[in-house]
């Protein structure tokens, strides 16, 4: 019995697939439309999958790029024995040894050869060395590598594109992109910022970096470099005895095969992160739902046009299951066809466009040509699933149609089922609750789950909403009344199209509002460390390299770019007599016990933090600087204006205190009876020193907690002012061009970094907002166009009736315009409402969670980006205008049969 049923079902499916294939050839326009909508996401996904698979290098490919023609790579990482893994990716102290002892002098080639078998050849490689040049007046750091490309061992590391390989210390080879940026030709000289000149003799390409790269000849370093290795060519294999001998000297070995006798590192696929996997699955589910909603109207129209054929199948003995299979077979055939078409074009595009992806996206060469069969099979299966899901609702409708009405060609009025409305409302409420729960717990997968549930609930409510709006059509003129009536009568095709627009617009609005709100929150939380527009010049080398230039020399350079800008030296407190090279002095001011917060931020539990929220002593009156943090300074008052922006009278009073040997603070709570308690802690573990000094509370400046010690006060507590750089107080904020010119001017006298304090954080969310709006706009236009075209094909008989009763030919154009408006306007309105509601719930939940934290972070404001809403308002108008312009005005007239 079971075998007979299975055979019958398989035979039924074979018949259904043949019918679906025949129907696809008959309705070529609808077939092309469905194939395009399914093939486009398949094309994109298959392109990404194949490109990703080619970009993932195998172990052999990685070793080829890393070793060139060498047998192994040696890294002398310590002066004591080490223990490494099989691939040399990790190491530690050998058994029985303490921490690895770092090397204090550079390694020579003779030292390396003395540890290797006779006949071994070595070549030095440093994958990063400093290299700075001036380009258009700006100092630009270039990715430089120190490697002898003329050596047979290292020659395969880079491909020669033009010229020759460097053979002298003053010769370099550059990448094609760097050659274009420098604007030089082969044979030209390039000068670095330290005055060293190099001749460009070749153009090379490193396969692991297609950006701007320069290759230098190796030179012996003065100190042990941080990134140095030796590529070696051995007369024999890399055996265990050799690795043991090298590890005993502190050398880590990386070979083409796992090192014998070492623990292997697991390189197989690890378990994916559950949160990331759940988020990816939910995002994919949203994309699948969007495709199903876009394709669904085509299957609904196909079922209505085949009512008579399906009724004949029922008369011939077909049951409801047979009718469902016939319609579902359409989804299988078109889904498989779209998958095949998308895979063919996507794989071909990935293989053909590989050089462009390498050059402009990944910026490194791929490995071998691969196509990722497992991912392509999964993509094809999802495409077929999308087709079946899109045909599921029409299949269910076809199985329940009235056979007599289908044979007579009568249209059945749509049934209003209350259960779908109830289900939609319940899903929407449940989705809102789940999204609020997920945002409160900061769990993206739970938030996405709630959004999907809410979206499904709105999809279920859409047919009922269309029916309610159709009842209002009696108050409208003829053309919009017909458009609303058609949408109500053809809910199986109109509702998915409206839902597709709603889903796209809701996602765009929610993301846009969240991005804009997050940007507004970042701006509200931003606290500049200096008055906005002021400039700090900080040395970017070690103090041991020498003193900074005189302030007059720096001021001359600064005022050549920023005329009239005063320049003052800047110093921070340091140990007057450090106990060693690692010793440091940390300076803090002490709050009186009655002003201190009695709670510990890191130790309090939730009840303790809630009590701290209500305690005024735990409210921080000052904020941490967001850009330039100069919390402690040694100065006699010259930097106060540029440092704090306080009023002149306050600066004058504070300067008198400093010149009298006192200290200045910005927190009045720290001044008790005219004195401030200073506490000094040492990195060497020496006892903490505490001293009460004359103090003054500076008011009216930036709300940043700051301590300024006079040189005399610093000496009293065992401190000294360590030169850090300079402060510049221009009359206006410098432009980007002036900042680059200033950096170029200063590079000639000292290694100084130019930092400008800004009033707000850097933000460039406009491109993202435009991208989100354009993406939803494209889906809106596509869904409106598809639904309008299908409605026009389905309503041909109504148009003939209008022509017969003498309707103006412009009615057809206006009808298409109104039909597109129903889809686009209703979908956009629902999407905007759903997007605003969902993001409001999420932000409200986050703010409620933040309100219970101590210290309380800045809450999220609800900011609606006008750009996003403007685009989403314009798009329905564009859809209506396009439908009106692309529709012929001529009304069709059916021929009468004599």
């Amino acid at each position: 019995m079971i075998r007979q049923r299975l055979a019958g079902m398989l035979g039924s499916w074979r018949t259904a697939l043949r019918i679906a294939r025949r129907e696809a050839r008959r309705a070529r326009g609808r077939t092309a439309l469905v194939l395009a909508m399914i093939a486009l996401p398949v094309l994109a996904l298959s392109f990404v999958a194949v490109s990703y698979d080619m970009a993932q290098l195998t172990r052999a490919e990685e070793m080829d790029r890393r070793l060139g023609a060498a047998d192994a790579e040696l890294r002398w990482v310590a002066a004591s024995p080490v223990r490494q893994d099989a691939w040399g990716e990790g190491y530690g102290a050998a058994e029985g040894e303490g921490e690895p002892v770092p090397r204090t002098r550079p390694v020579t080639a003779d030292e390396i050869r003395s540890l290797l078998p006779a006949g071994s050849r070595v070549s030095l490689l440093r994958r990063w060395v400093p290299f700075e040049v001036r380009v258009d007046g700006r100092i630009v750091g270039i990715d430089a590598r120190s490697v002898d490309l003329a050596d047979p061992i290292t020659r395969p590391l880079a491909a020669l594109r033009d010229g020759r390989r460097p053979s002298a210390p003053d010769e370099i080879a550059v990448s094609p992109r760097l050659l274009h940026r420098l604007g030089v030709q082969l044979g030209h000289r390039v000068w670095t910022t330290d005055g060293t000149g190099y001749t460009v003799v070749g153009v090379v390409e490193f396969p692991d970096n297609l950006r701007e790269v320069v290759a230098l000849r190796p030179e012996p370093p003065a100190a042990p470099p941080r990134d140095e290795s030796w590529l070696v060519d051995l007369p024999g294999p890399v055996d265990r005895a050799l690795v043991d001998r090298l590890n005993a000297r502190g050398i880590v070995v990386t070979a083409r095969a796992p090192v014998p006798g070492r623990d292997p590192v697991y390189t197989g696929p690890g378990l994916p992160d559950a949160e990331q996997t759940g988020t990816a699955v939910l995002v994919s589910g949203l994309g699948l739902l969007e495709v199903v909603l876009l394709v669904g109207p085509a299957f609904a129209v196909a079922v209505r046009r085949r009512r008579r054929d399906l009724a004949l199948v029922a008369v011939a003995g077909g049951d409801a299951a047979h009718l469902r299979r016939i319609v579902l077979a359409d989804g299988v055939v078109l889904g498989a066809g779209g998958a095949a078409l998308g895979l063919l074009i996507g794989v071909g595009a990935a293989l053909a466009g590989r050089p462009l992806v390498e050059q402009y996206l990944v910026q490194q060469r791929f490995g071998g040509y691969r196509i990722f069969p497992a991912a392509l099979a999964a993509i094809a299966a999802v495409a077929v699933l999308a087709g079946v899901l899109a045909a599921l609702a029409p299949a269910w409708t076809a199985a329940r149609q009235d056979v007599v009405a289908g044979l007579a060609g009568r249209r059945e009025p749509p049934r209003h089922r209350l259960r779908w409305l109830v289900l939609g409302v319940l899903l929407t409420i449940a989705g809102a609750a789940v999204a609020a729960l997920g945002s409160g717990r900061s769990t993206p997968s739970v938030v996405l789950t709630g959004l999907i549930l809410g979206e499904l609930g709105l999809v279920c409510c859409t047919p009922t909403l269309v029916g309610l709006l159709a009842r209002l059509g009696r108050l409208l003129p003829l053309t919009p009344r017909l458009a609303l009536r058609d949408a109500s009568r053809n809910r199986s095709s109109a509702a998915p199209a409206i839902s597709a627009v709603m889903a796209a617009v809701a996602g765009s609005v929610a993301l846009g509002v969240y991005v804009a709100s997050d940007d507004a929150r970042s701006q509200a939380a931003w606290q500049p460390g200096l008055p906005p527009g002021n400039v700090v010049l900080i040395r970017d080398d070690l103090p041991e390299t020498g003193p900074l230039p005189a302030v007059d020399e720096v001021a001359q350079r600064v005022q050549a770019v920023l005329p009239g800008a005063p320049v003052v030296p800047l110093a921070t407190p340091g140990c007057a007599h450090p106990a060693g090279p690692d010793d440091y002095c940390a300076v803090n001011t002490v709050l009186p016990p009655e002003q201190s917060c009695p709670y510990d931020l890191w130790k309090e539990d939730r009840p303790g933090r809630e009590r701290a929220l209500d305690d005024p002593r735990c409210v921080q009156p000052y904020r941490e600087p967001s850009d330039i943090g100069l919390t402690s300074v040694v100065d006699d008052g010259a930097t106060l204006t540029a440092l704090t922006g306080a009023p002149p009278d306050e600066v004058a009073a504070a300067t008198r205190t400093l010149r009298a040997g006192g200290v200045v603070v910005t927190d009045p709570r720290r001044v008790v009876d005219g004195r401030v308690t200073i506490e000094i802690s040492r990195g060497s573990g020496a006892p903490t020193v505490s001293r009460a000094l004359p103090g003054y509370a500076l008011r009216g400046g930036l709300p940043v907690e700051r301590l300024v010690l006079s040189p005399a006060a610093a000496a009293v507590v065992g401190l000294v002012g360590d030169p850090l750089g300079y402060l510049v107080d221009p009359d206006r904020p410098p432009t980007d061009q002036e900042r680059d010119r200033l950096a170029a001017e200063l590079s000639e006298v000292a290694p100084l970094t130019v930092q400008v304090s800004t009033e707000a954080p850097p933000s460039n969310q406009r491109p993202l907002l435009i991208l989100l709006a354009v993406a939803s706009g494209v889906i809106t236009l596509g869904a409106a166009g598809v639904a309008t075209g299908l409605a026009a094909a389905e309503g041909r008989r109504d148009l003939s009736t209008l022509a017969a009763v003498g309707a103006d030919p412009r009615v057809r154009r206006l009808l298409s315009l109104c039909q597109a408006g129903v889809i686009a306007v209703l979908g956009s309105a629902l999407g905007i409402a759903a997007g605003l509601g969902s993001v409001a719930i999420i932000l409200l939940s986050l703010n409620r969670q933040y309100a219970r934290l101590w210290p309380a972070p800045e809450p999220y404001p609800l900011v609606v980006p006008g750009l996003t809403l403007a685009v989403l308002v314009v798009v329905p108008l564009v859809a209506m205008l396009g439908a009106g312009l692309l529709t012929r005005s001529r009304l069709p007239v059916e021929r009468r049969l004599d």
Side-chain angles (χ1 to χ4, degrees), residues 88 95 158 222 260 281 368 437 443 447 483 485 490 557 571 574 600 633-634 640 715 735 739 776 819:
E95 186 175 354
V281 170
L437 176 65
T443 310
V447 174
R485 186 206 64 178
N490 303 320
R557 298 281 182 170
D600 190 340
V633 174
V634 177
L640 286 179
T735 63
R739 179 177 177 177
S776 62
Q819 287 173 334

Side-chain angles (χ1 to χ4, degrees), residues 5 9 32 35 59 63 91 148 151 176 291 352 370 399 409 414 459 499 512 554 632 692 728 730 778 807 841:
R5 290 182 178 179
M9 185 181 67
L35 288 179
R59 176 69 73 172
M63 290 298 104
Y91 67 92
D148 184 5
D151 192 317
V291 173
R370 297 180 282 269
V459 170
S499 300
V554 175
S632 301
V728 184
V778 169
I841 292 173

